[in-house]
Amino acid sequence: MWFLSLSKGLIFVIILLLAACKSVPSGTIVKAPELLDKNKNYYISIPVDVDPELVKYVIKSNIQGISDSDVNEIVSRINRAYAGLNADNKDSKLQLAIDSNIPVKYIPKLLTKKNGWTVQDYTGPVSSAKYGMYSQNDVTLAFPSDKLAVLGENVEGMLAKYDEIHSIPADESVGKDYYSIDSQTHDWITGSDSEIRFITNKPET
């Protein structure tokens, strides 16, 4: 009888644990292109395997004091970079959303005060989660998850978009997209893993 009672107790605990797990739905997985602002003059997609040296150049140009070994480590963890750009003779405004595999816990060891970085928290408007924003001179970047990095113009807006999408339960977002750019642009820049793709919706710029 004691064995039977213990077994029922264990079963009850297991049922409670399963119920608890099911009651907390996972968030929607956010894709990098969904974070780009609309109405940019140009959009570019750069698979790292196609031109790793270009990606290294972008990183070294934007992160002061970074070592070659750290650059190589970061590039090895990037799959593809998506860029939106407004450019004219006076000002160029670049926005990057990067599909990556960079553990968030690794970032504070790289973007340190010693290397000239300051950090401040951004509070997600939907979840109230805290996201670290790292700034140095005119460069701001953030890592909303281990799979995404954002850099450049309107980082706060990209974090807000991430928080909004990720707060949607995954089972409610099946088959849905949340990108702000038009569908033609989205389909073009996401359509190939083997070439750099470029598109402009304003040929006169």
Side-chain angles (χ1 to χ4, degrees), residues 139-154:
V139 176
T140 301
L141 65 159
F143 300 80
S145 77
D146 291 342
K147 302 294 184 182
L148 291 170
V150 294
L151 166 69
E153 185 187 17
N154 195 23

Side-chain angles (χ1 to χ4, degrees), residues 1 36 44 82 84 86 92 97-98 105 132 136 147 180 202:
M1 292 294 292
L36 292 175
I44 307 165
Y82 298 92
N86 284 341
S92 296
I98 301 171
K105 64 181 181 181
Q136 183 190 84
K147 302 294 184 182
S180 299
K202 300 178 180 179

Side-chain angles (χ1 to χ4, degrees), residues 47-178:
V48 169
D49 288 344
V50 175
D51 195 342
E53 294 304 317
L54 175 59
V55 179
K56 289 179 184 179
Y57 172 78
V58 171
I59 293 172
K60 295 187 77 169
S61 298
N62 286 281
I63 301 182
Q64 180 180 323
I66 190 169
S67 67
D68 288 341
S69 60
D70 283 335
V71 171
N72 291 333
E73 175 67 18
I74 290 173
V75 170
S76 72
R77 293 176 176 273
I78 293 176
N79 300 316
R80 191 190 305 200
Y82 298 92
L85 176 66
N86 284 341
D88 56 38
N89 293 330
K90 296 181 180 179
D91 191 19
S92 296
K93 295 182 178 180
L94 176 68
Q95 182 181 62
L96 284 168
I98 301 171
D99 175 12
S100 60
N101 182 24
I102 304 173
V104 173
K105 64 181 181 181
Y106 171 71
I107 302 307
K109 300 176 183 178
L110 175 64
L111 306 181
T112 64
K113 185 176 181 179
K114 181 179 178 181
N115 287 337
W117 291 91
T118 59
V119 60
Q120 65 182 86
D121 283 337
Y122 173 80
T123 302
V126 179
S127 71
S128 295
K130 301 292 185 183
Y131 304 95
M133 291 200 312
Y134 297 84
S135 299
Q136 183 190 84
N137 299 326
D138 295 326
V139 176
T140 301
L141 65 159
F143 300 80
S145 77
D146 291 342
K147 302 294 184 182
L148 291 170
V150 294
L151 166 69
E153 185 187 17
N154 195 23
V155 166
E156 285 193 10
M158 289 191 281
L159 289 176
K161 185 71 180 292
Y162 173 88
D163 190 73
E164 175 187 346
I165 299 171
H166 188 61
S167 295
I168 301 171
D171 58 1
E172 295 181 15
S173 63
V174 176
K176 296 181 181 179
D177 291 304
Y178 297 96

Side-chain angles (χ1 to χ4, degrees), residues 170-190:
D171 58 1
E172 295 181 15
S173 63
V174 176
K176 296 181 181 179
D177 291 304
Y178 297 96
Y179 50 84
S180 299
I181 57 180
D182 66 84
S183 58
Q184 179 184 11
T185 298
H186 174 269
D187 292 349
W188 176 250
I189 65 173
T190 60

